[in-house]
Amino acid sequence: MTPLTAQRVGAVLGTALTLLLTLATPAAAHGADAPDATNYRTAITGTPDLPGLEVITIEAGARLQLTNHSGKPVEVLGYNNEPYLEVRPDGVYENIHSPATYLNITIAHVDPPAHADPTVPPEWRKVSDEPVYRWHDQRAIWTDTTEPPAVAAAPGQPHRIREWTVPMRTEVTPLQVTGTLDWVPPPNPVIWWVATVAGALAVALLGLVPGRPRAITVALSVAAIAAGVLALAYAVAREIDAGNHTVGPILLELLTVQLWAVVSALAAIAAGAYSLSRRAAGDFALALGAAAVGLFAGMVNAAVFHRSIAPVPWGDTAARLAVATVIALGVGVAAAGMLRLRGTTSGAPTPTESPTGPDATPHPTESTAL
């Protein structure tokens, strides 16, 4: 391996490792509110018969979303039947004296402040101009760090954890949302990891084909583009499952909450297109772009391999297939790209793949092996 090739391979691995270490903590923090997957299924079995009022589960059941277009104020009661939320036509108001206002911010436990007293008359604080609100209702989810006794005794069997009710009212009329919380046994992660690794190895072996034929370059480029497109589709699906159904909110979340997954997906697509253009550094671009999408759009979602409920609006098995494909293509193309770099003694193209365009001239510090 020449110094130039070693530098390129090192750059791929170094960049991937640096980003992985940089993003590990933020990803874990975000996962507390929007889990990558879970074994608990929250389902709604009954909603109020009030035209214009909708209550659904989002984020794999981690939160409830209430939308009120009834024209009437709808009040959600807290854990002591105190006023907690009031969703009015002009927006959403929280009672700062309700403990639920603080307990429902995240799945993780928080201690309400001293003034959070359910016996005190409500004091409303406006938190949204839209009549839509999302919250972690502890009646509808499992928040303990340990599993329920029945689950601990037989984790391979489904269990009904509880039936839950969220009381509400509009003016003087009582309302309620009812649902169930169930344990769904997780899949066998070994099967999914074996299939994913096998797929990655199959793609990586293309990097060992001698002579760097054009057909292999095209195949690896298309695989990188496919990984990027599928990663973007999965990111969009997560936002739809999070209650975003229009272009504006989806784009906003993609560019904030899922920024690195989106950037890595776009990098893989750009790398594939760059390589297809017969650029001399195509293998390096493929290795870097594919490594990014495999790690930051694939591996970060690998929890679906060992948990039963995926945070997407399609089937859980389809979600696992999507994540497995992104990882296999991303890691496989990255490995193939590095093998092709290792198999060359310089950055110059072989006779089987002549370059075109401004990058055709080798760098003056590079020498062509005969």
Side-chain angles (χ1 to χ4, degrees):
M1 185 186 299
T2 65
L4 176 63
T5 304
Q7 289 174 6
R8 288 178 171 177
V9 174
V12 173
L13 298 176
T15 301
L17 181 60
T18 300
L19 288 174
L20 181 61
L21 294 175
T22 301
L23 297 176
T25 299
H30 175 260
D33 288 338
D36 297 320
T38 179
N39 291 325
Y40 294 94
R41 174 176 286 129
T42 297
I44 292 177
T45 58
T47 57
D49 185 16
L50 179 64
L53 179 66
E54 178 189 58
V55 184
I56 62 172
T57 62
I58 61 172
E59 296 174 352
R63 290 201 286 179
L64 299 181
Q65 175 178 284
L66 186 150
T67 304
N68 181 21
H69 292 301
S70 68
K72 301 178 180 180
V74 173
E75 190 173 275
V76 181
L77 303 184
Y79 303 120
N80 296 283
N81 286 324
E82 80 282 4
Y84 158 47
L85 289 174
E86 192 161 275
V87 186
R88 309 171 189 172
D90 68 329
V92 180
Y93 296 78
E94 286 181 333
N95 175 17
I96 67 171
H97 295 303
S98 169
T101 295
Y102 311 96
L103 293 171
N104 293 353
I105 293 175
T106 177
I107 295 177
H109 175 75
V110 296
D111 292 321
H115 66 263
D117 184 350
T119 64
V120 174
E123 182 177 341
W124 299 106
R125 173 183 61 193
K126 191 172 187 179
V127 294
S128 174
D129 292 328
E130 298 294 327
V132 180
Y133 196 74
R134 302 164 178 171
W135 73 98
H136 298 284
D137 199 299
Q138 297 186 13
R139 290 163 288 206
I141 58 178
W142 184 258
T143 59
D144 289 353
T145 56
T146 58
E147 311 296 0
V151 172
Q157 299 295 323
H159 297 278
R160 171 63 48 85
I161 306 303
R162 61 172 170 259
E163 297 181 351
W164 51 266
T165 300
V166 176
M168 304 178 180
R169 61 191 175 204
T170 176
E171 298 171 341
V172 295
T173 304
L175 307 170
Q176 67 178 14
V177 176
T178 59
T180 56
L181 177 65
D182 292 286
W183 166 267
V184 180
N188 185 348
V190 175
I191 296 175
W192 289 99
W193 278 116
V194 168
T196 301
V197 172
L201 287 175
V203 176
L205 289 176
L206 295 178
L208 296 176
V209 177
R212 300 174 69 251
R214 177 64 180 168
I216 298 299
T217 299
V218 171
L220 293 175
S221 301
V222 171
I225 293 172
V229 171
L230 188 56
L232 282 178
Y234 193 87
V236 171
R238 289 200 62 167
E239 292 311 317
I240 293 174
D241 185 70
N244 301 306
H245 299 288
T246 56
V247 174
I250 290 176
L251 285 177
L252 178 62
E253 294 299 309
L254 289 178
L255 296 176
T256 53
V257 175
Q258 298 203 63
L259 177 61
W260 284 107
V262 171
V263 168
S264 64
L266 294 176
I269 295 172
Y274 181 87
S275 178
L276 284 174
S277 68
R278 296 174 180 264
R279 301 298 182 112
D283 289 335
F284 175 70
L286 280 177
L288 187 58
V293 76
L295 288 174
F296 308 119
M299 293 294 290
V300 297
N301 291 305
V304 296
F305 291 167
H306 57 88
R307 293 177 185 162
S308 52
I309 311 299
V312 293
W314 59 58
D316 303 311
T317 299
R320 294 183 194 104
L321 286 172
V323 172
T325 302
V326 171
I327 297 174
L329 292 180
V331 175
V333 171
M338 287 189 285
L339 287 172
R340 281 158 67 96
L341 284 172
R342 183 178 180 276
T344 59
T345 56
S346 73
T350 64
T352 58
E353 189 174 348
S354 300
T356 59
D359 293 338
T361 302
H363 192 278
T365 61
E366 301 179 31
S367 61
T368 304
L370 297 179

